[in-house]
Amino acid sequence: MTIEGYVQKILFQNRENGYTVMVMELSGEDSEGNEQTVCGSFPDVEQGDFFAVTGEITVHPTYGPQLRAVSYERRMPTDVVSMERYLASGAIKGIGAAMAARIVKKFKEDSFRIMEEEPERLAEIKGISENKAREIGAQVAEKKNLRDALMFLQQYGISLNLAAKIYNHYGAELYSVIRTNPYRMADDIEGVGFKTADAIAARAGIVPDSDFRIQSGILYELQLASGNGHTYLPKASLVSQAAELLMVEPEQVEKNLTDMQLDRRIVIKNVSAEDGREWQQVYSAVYYYMELNVAKHLHDLNIVEKADPVKLGADIDRIAAREQIQLDELQREAVMEAVTHGLTIITGGPGTGKTTTINTIIQYMEELGLSMALAAPTGRAAKRMSEATGCEAQTIHRLLELMGGPESENGHAAFARDEENPLEADAVIIDEMSMVDINLMNALLKAVVPGTRLVLVGDVDQLPSVGPGNVLRDIIDSGCFRVVKLNKIFRQALESDIVINAHRINQGQMVEPRPGSRDFLFVKRSQAAQITGATITLVKEKLPPYVHASVRDIQVLTPMRKGVLGVEQLNAALQQYLNPPDPEKMEKETGAGVFREGDKVMQIKNNYQMEWEIKNKYGVALQSGIGVFNGDLGIIKSMNLYAEELVVEFDEGRESTYSFKQLDELELAYAITIHKSQGSEYPAVVLPLLTGPRMLMNRNLLYTAVTRAKQCVTVVGSLETFQSMIRNVSENTRFSGLADRLREIGI
């Protein structure tokens, strides 16, 4: 149905995405006094505007009938009464009710034409100066330009929300952008990817073998690669993938690679392996220079300080005796390295004394009077670091003082701490380094000046970071720096089957069910339905009292997203039993499923501008900040169907508000992939296993899953699959060139 009328009142408006709830006073015969609540995307709406809106009536369970808009057309009033009402609404700054009456009285039905075409004539009216007349004319022209642009962009299938973004970015230039090179939008505007730009270009008549199209497709393939963890692609792979995507000849892709290298949009590096193989690495320019910058900073930090080894050893022994700890030779070596080197890398598996080593380093540096900063990639990892050391630790993002506002180039986070404003610490210790991607490492090193001691600690055998790069492994594999690998399992850790079995898995040794084990359990099942049922029982009934934790703290980990034991189906089943439908609970259905108050959810992309608050019991904000990150877990605390938003409470009581338009940033998290569990630790982990793709069902993935559990691991399903994962040493190849850049600089 279609209605016409005036915007009488705006009840709610999200300026970011244009979502609006408003009340319209309907026009037409017998419509006086009739009102209609309308909701939808109206990026340019103002009170007093006149619209024709097409949509369908829906009945909100709380707020009654609403017209959900599908499309709308702004219309300018044509009669003097309507004109006066519009001008008096405040839609044009500087015109109130009295001024509106004088304008319409003077110019009558010609009022709007005068304001658009001869705005200087407004100065004929008492109270309007020449300057004010020009200001009013500029406002009217801007509104007309926006209306015209939105109508023009809708011809190309562009939504109103996206059209407003395009207009705000390009202004009047948008017409030439659409007609000559729509692919610019994929580089310039968030929310426009290659495929969106390609569809617009097809409607605009851009030929399929256009250089603009091919170059945009090449950058799109490199962008997809970075989403899969790569910082570059081998040239042969990139040419093949881009040619298939674009349906052009490989030679055309090759030609454009050369042009793009000349334009410095990409970098191509020739690489030779020790076995004589040669190939070419193709980077988007930003990732090449990022790796180069990281490599340079690491070499700059690697300053060796002379020290008396006898005195140093005696001081370490004295601190160990005072703290009542015993250090093996490798731990003592790690402490010595940290004290005498600007860059120290410490790696080791669970139970090998990484935390004890960190604590000894902290004690020594405190005696030297050095100021320290401790950080980890995630909130959970930082909290564990604080508990283990007794010192304040924070996320790397908070350490670097993440800034709000527009993100920096290529969507990477912007930080207050950088080369111009470095960290004010004599020593920086980073834990869980396997999780740190090249973007975050680059930002961190920009803020660490030579002369600062940087200690990097992590388990190199964990899965690599979710983001692009393989930072810890590349630093170690480069051979450019001293690395201390802790390998002794200490007595207390030897009492844990989790620790023992994790090391056995990592060394390729078989793990058998051990009757009487308190923390490594097997529940053998042979069918997917049985495995799902046992998983639900464990999470809901058995494990919470066993590990003295709540249901929400028990985490189901699975290798894959799809399939009967993948994240999507497991979450649907677990939600049904752990948080079933309830008349007292609000819920929102999306294309991916249902979100319900009380659901356990996960943030699945970095949002550097998302605000959060920590409130007291009276709802007063005690602390606030910005940034919610890929992998953060939370609970849906409340939901407002009228305002179309919900509140998620993350760790440490941080609350963030999401509009329903942002729900693609969240997913249910009763079950999560093992990849997403990196850096986290849970009281108990349930690992359902039956079958899966060989490339996923490997040793590295299993080792990571097992080491996420603090008190108990329960494998549900096939022992044969579990053991075949131990035997499977295949891993997905990750293309990262930091080791190459480190060696180049170190020569």
Side-chain angles (χ1 to χ4, degrees):
M1 64 176 293
T2 299
I3 62 171
E4 287 188 353
Y6 301 91
V7 179
Q8 185 187 78
K9 186 188 301 182
I10 296 175
L11 302 175
F12 171 82
Q13 188 170 42
N14 184 325
R15 288 289 182 184
E16 288 186 11
N17 58 32
Y19 181 79
T20 305
V21 181
M22 60 190 183
V23 176
M24 289 181 60
E25 181 178 327
L26 304 185
S27 66
E29 294 181 10
D30 303 322
S31 62
E32 188 173 349
N34 289 346
E35 296 177 352
Q36 177 65 61
T37 302
V38 178
C39 56
S41 181
F42 294 86
D44 58 335
V45 68
E46 301 279 1
Q47 187 171 315
D49 283 350
F50 187 87
F51 285 119
V53 181
T54 301
E56 55 185 40
I57 295 290
T58 60
V59 180
H60 192 282
T62 304
Y63 304 106
Q66 298 179 339
L67 182 74
R68 187 170 295 274
V70 175
S71 64
Y72 74 88
E73 178 186 347
R74 181 192 295 272
R75 296 179 179 173
M76 299 307 291
T78 54
D79 61 275
V80 291
V81 174
S82 299
M83 288 181 179
E84 183 175 339
R85 176 186 287 182
Y86 173 78
L87 294 174
S89 71
I92 297 175
K93 188 177 178 182
I95 298 180
M99 187 69 70
R102 290 202 292 272
I103 291 172
V104 173
K105 183 178 180 181
K106 169 76 174 175
F107 298 115
K108 300 183 172 53
E109 286 88 350
D110 214 20
S111 296
F112 278 7
R113 188 196 64 77
I114 294 291
M115 296 174 77
E116 288 181 2
E117 299 175 9
E118 303 176 78
E120 66 279 0
R121 288 191 58 193
L122 293 172
E124 299 173 16
I125 301 204
K126 184 180 179 182
I128 299 181
S129 65
E130 291 184 6
N131 282 340
K132 189 170 184 178
R134 283 193 290 269
E135 289 174 6
I136 292 171
Q139 283 189 67
V140 172
E142 177 65 18
K143 287 176 180 292
K144 183 178 186 299
N145 291 340
L146 174 57
R147 290 196 304 273
D148 293 345
L150 293 181
M151 290 178 65
F152 171 77
L153 292 171
Q154 284 182 67
Q155 301 173 55
Y156 298 94
I158 299 172
S159 70
L160 290 168
N161 183 28
L162 185 54
K165 281 187 179 181
I166 294 171
Y167 177 78
N168 289 336
H169 185 87
Y170 294 118
E173 190 190 1
L174 73 87
Y175 299 98
S176 64
V177 169
I178 293 292
R179 290 171 177 141
T180 60
N181 181 16
Y183 297 99
R184 274 183 60 185
M185 295 187 293
D187 296 333
D188 297 341
I189 299 175
E190 184 182 358
V192 179
F194 169 76
K195 292 194 173 180
T196 300
D198 204 32
I200 294 169
R203 292 189 182 98
I206 305 296
V207 294
D209 61 352
S210 157
D211 286 349
F212 291 137
R213 180 171 185 265
I214 293 173
Q215 292 183 18
S216 184
I218 289 168
L219 292 176
Y220 174 67
E221 286 293 344
L222 290 172
Q223 180 187 6
L224 286 180
S226 69
N228 290 321
H230 309 299
T231 56
Y232 74 87
L233 282 177
K235 183 178 177 182
S237 299
L238 175 60
V239 169
S240 172
Q241 292 170 23
E244 183 178 349
L245 168 75
L246 298 165
M247 292 184 288
V248 298
E249 294 300 317
E251 292 76 15
Q252 292 175 281
V253 176
E254 292 256 13
K255 169 192 171 295
N256 277 278
L257 284 176
T258 302
D259 294 342
M260 293 173 75
Q261 187 173 21
L262 291 172
D263 291 339
R264 299 185 179 182
R265 300 179 76 190
I266 63 171
V267 174
I268 302 177
K269 294 291 292 184
N270 297 318
V271 180
S272 299
E274 292 181 1
D275 60 7
R277 290 182 302 112
E278 294 187 355
W279 72 97
Q280 290 181 302
Q281 302 169 331
V282 184
Y283 288 87
S284 64
V286 65
Y287 279 117
Y288 173 75
Y289 289 108
M290 202 176 283
E291 282 191 349
L292 196 64
N293 192 53
V294 167
K296 180 181 182 301
H297 276 295
L298 287 171
H299 277 291
D300 289 346
L301 287 169
N302 192 32
I303 301 169
V304 181
E305 186 176 301
K306 291 183 179 179
D308 180 351
V310 176
K311 181 180 183 305
L312 181 55
D315 287 342
I316 293 172
D317 291 340
R318 175 176 50 79
I319 290 171
R322 185 185 71 203
E323 300 299 319
Q324 298 183 328
I325 56 177
Q326 288 187 330
L327 302 175
D328 69 6
E329 283 306 308
L330 286 172
Q331 288 176 302
R332 290 179 87 253
E333 181 187 339
V335 178
M336 287 184 176
E337 288 285 319
V339 172
T340 59
H341 287 71
L343 177 64
T344 304
I345 298 100
I346 303 170
T347 184
T352 56
K354 294 192 298 294
T355 299
T356 301
T357 305
I358 291 173
N359 280 331
T360 309
I361 293 170
I362 291 171
Q363 294 289 333
Y364 199 108
M365 291 188 175
E366 283 183 344
E367 287 198 0
L368 294 177
L370 302 179
S371 60
M372 284 175 290
L374 277 62
T378 67
R380 288 191 168 209
K383 184 178 180 182
R384 287 206 321 276
M385 195 180 188
S386 295
E387 292 168 349
T389 63
C391 300
E392 181 188 1
Q394 55 193 320
T395 64
I396 299 173
H397 288 90
R398 292 187 71 181
L399 175 70
L400 298 178
E401 299 175 19
L402 178 68
M403 295 192 298
E407 297 164 13
S408 61
E409 185 182 4
N410 290 284
H412 302 140
F415 297 100
R417 294 289 182 176
D418 56 17
E419 302 98 327
E420 303 297 323
N421 182 30
L423 293 169
E424 297 168 5
D426 299 313
V428 178
I429 303 176
I430 306 295
D431 199 9
E432 293 285 359
M433 264 300 300
S434 63
M435 291 188 66
V436 177
D437 64 23
I438 194 69
N439 299 314
L440 192 55
M441 190 66 178
N442 184 50
L444 172 67
L445 292 177
K446 284 181 180 180
V448 179
V449 297
T452 305
R453 291 172 172 85
L454 178 63
V455 181
L456 307 178
V457 185
D459 184 349
V460 74
D461 293 317
Q462 297 281 354
L463 290 169
S465 57
V466 174
N470 206 350
V471 174
L472 181 61
R473 183 172 292 280
D474 278 358
I475 292 172
I476 293 172
D477 288 350
S478 73
C480 294
F481 311 107
R482 288 286 304 278
V483 177
V484 181
K485 183 162 187 176
L486 306 177
N487 54 28
K488 178 183 176 182
I489 306 176
F490 286 86
R491 182 177 57 81
Q492 186 176 358
L494 283 169
E495 299 173 3
S496 166
D497 283 342
I498 293 175
V499 173
I500 297 297
N501 289 338
H503 283 275
R504 289 179 67 86
I505 290 166
N506 201 31
Q507 293 161 14
Q509 300 173 15
M510 284 301 103
V511 174
E512 299 282 351
R514 185 174 74 83
S517 176
R518 293 176 300 174
D519 61 357
F520 208 105
L521 313 175
F522 285 85
V523 177
K524 295 182 182 179
R525 296 288 187 272
S526 58
Q527 296 180 1
Q530 296 173 336
I531 295 172
T532 301
T535 298
I536 292 168
T537 301
L538 284 163
V539 174
K540 186 176 182 181
E541 300 173 13
K542 303 293 186 183
L543 287 174
Y546 186 69
V547 296
H548 306 290
S550 68
V551 171
R552 70 174 61 175
D553 292 325
I554 312 300
Q555 190 60 58
V556 178
L557 301 180
T558 178
M560 53 219 147
R561 292 195 56 81
K562 304 291 183 182
V564 289
L565 293 179
V567 164
E568 294 172 3
Q569 292 203 35
L570 280 173
N571 269 322
L574 287 161
Q575 182 191 45
Q576 185 65 28
Y577 283 91
L578 301 180
N579 190 31
D582 186 326
E584 298 298 316
K585 291 183 177 181
M586 294 289 187
E587 62 180 51
K588 167 64 178 175
E589 188 170 352
T590 70
V594 174
F595 287 113
R596 186 174 296 127
E597 288 177 337
D599 272 337
K600 184 177 180 180
V601 293
M602 172 183 277
Q603 176 79 10
I604 58 172
K605 62 176 285 190
N606 289 332
N607 186 328
Y608 303 119
Q609 299 181 58
M610 176 70 78
E611 298 177 355
W612 55 261
E613 291 183 332
I614 298 175
K615 300 178 180 178
N616 64 14
K617 63 181 180 180
Y618 303 107
V620 177
L622 302 176
Q623 191 177 347
S624 62
I626 54 172
V628 180
F629 306 108
N630 192 351
D632 283 356
L633 289 174
I635 301 293
I636 297 179
K637 186 176 179 182
S638 62
M639 188 179 295
N640 186 327
L641 298 180
Y642 185 63
E644 300 212 340
E645 61 186 25
L646 56 79
V647 175
V648 177
E649 182 178 337
F650 293 101
D651 290 338
E652 302 172 338
R654 295 175 296 124
E655 294 184 7
S656 292
T657 301
Y658 291 75
S659 74
F660 285 177
K661 300 266 187 181
Q662 294 174 293
L663 293 187
D664 59 347
E665 295 186 19
L666 294 173
E667 68 180 19
L668 293 176
Y670 299 103
I672 64 174
T673 63
I674 296 168
H675 280 89
K676 291 286 191 181
S677 71
Q678 290 170 266
S680 295
E681 189 176 71
Y682 313 99
V685 162
V686 180
L687 188 58
L689 293 175
L690 187 58
T691 59
R694 177 174 169 76
M695 288 303 294
L696 279 179
M697 310 294 281
N698 61 41
R699 181 188 300 174
N700 192 214
L701 201 75
L702 183 61
Y703 173 73
T704 299
V706 167
T707 54
R708 298 307 90 206
K710 186 175 183 180
Q711 296 171 249
C712 182
V713 170
T714 305
V715 180
V716 184
S718 167
L719 178 61
E720 181 182 345
T721 298
F722 177 85
Q723 294 181 337
S724 72
M725 290 180 74
I726 298 174
R727 291 189 292 269
N728 182 9
V729 295
S730 66
E731 295 180 33
N732 290 326
T733 301
R734 178 165 284 207
F735 299 114
S736 60
L738 178 59
D740 297 318
R741 307 289 83 77
L742 284 165
R743 293 188 199 103
E744 289 170 1
I745 293 177
I747 293 173

